[in-house]
Amino acid sequence: DQGPSGLADRIFTKAGASVEKLKNSLEKFMARKPRISGASSGQMLGQNLAKTLERSEEWKKKFGDDFCSVEHMVLALSQDSRVGKLFQEQGLTEAKLRSAIDEVRGRQK
C-alpha cells in the first residue's frame, strides 16, 4: 500500500516498531476518548490536536517542504504528551523516526 497509511507503516517498521501493536494501542487510546455528537460536532478542534498540527507545520519547515505530509504528522504525534507515550512504548524515539523517514524518503520532498 503506497497510500498515507502505507507510508506511516513503512516509517514505523523502519524505526523498529510493531505496526500491529502500535495500531492496537492507538485504537484503544481513541476508544477511551470522549466523543462529541450533535450539530456542532464537526466544528471542534481539541487543544492537543491543534498543538500537533502546529508542530507538524514546524516539521514541514525544518524539512524544507512545501506541504505537510505523513512524516511531519508522525514526528508531531511523537511529541504529543499522550500519543508520544504510545510511541515510546514501541521504542519509537524522535531520532529513530527521523532516521526511518530519511531512509523512506530518500531525497524526495
Side-chain angles (χ1 to χ4, degrees), residues 25-74:
S25 294
L26 289 168
E27 286 172 6
K28 288 177 187 173
F29 169 78
M30 293 302 294
R32 291 190 306 264
K33 295 292 134 202
R35 299 209 189 291
I36 299 172
S37 60
S40 66
S41 65
Q43 309 218 355
M44 297 192 72
L45 186 65
Q47 213 173 22
N48 285 335
L49 180 55
K51 286 180 185 176
T52 298
L53 292 173
E54 287 174 19
R55 283 192 296 268
S56 179
E57 280 287 324
E58 292 168 13
W59 280 111
K60 175 195 81 160
K61 290 175 187 172
K62 286 180 185 178
F63 277 86
D65 293 335
D66 296 326
F67 303 98
C68 276
S69 185
V70 171
E71 57 266 37
H72 307 121
M73 283 300 297
V74 165

Side-chain angles (χ1 to χ4, degrees), residues 7-109:
L7 177 57
D9 287 357
R10 289 197 327 255
I11 291 168
F12 295 136
T13 300
K14 285 240 185 244
S18 163
V19 173
E20 195 63 34
K21 286 181 184 177
L22 184 58
K23 283 181 181 180
N24 288 338
S25 294
L26 289 168
E27 286 172 6
K28 288 177 187 173
F29 169 78
M30 293 302 294
R32 291 190 306 264
K33 295 292 134 202
R35 299 209 189 291
I36 299 172
S37 60
S40 66
S41 65
Q43 309 218 355
M44 297 192 72
L45 186 65
Q47 213 173 22
N48 285 335
L49 180 55
K51 286 180 185 176
T52 298
L53 292 173
E54 287 174 19
R55 283 192 296 268
S56 179
E57 280 287 324
E58 292 168 13
W59 280 111
K60 175 195 81 160
K61 290 175 187 172
K62 286 180 185 178
F63 277 86
D65 293 335
D66 296 326
F67 303 98
C68 276
S69 185
V70 171
E71 57 266 37
H72 307 121
M73 283 300 297
V74 165
L75 287 164
L77 284 168
S78 75
Q79 296 172 307
D80 180 80
S81 60
R82 302 162 311 157
V83 177
K85 288 178 185 174
L86 300 177
F87 281 22
Q88 289 171 3
E89 289 171 7
Q90 288 294 314
L92 295 171
T93 63
E94 181 182 315
K96 285 182 180 179
L97 289 169
R98 290 215 47 185
S99 177
I101 288 166
D102 289 344
E103 283 186 52
V104 169
R105 276 174 58 129
R107 295 184 179 267
Q108 284 181 285
K109 283 193 175 189

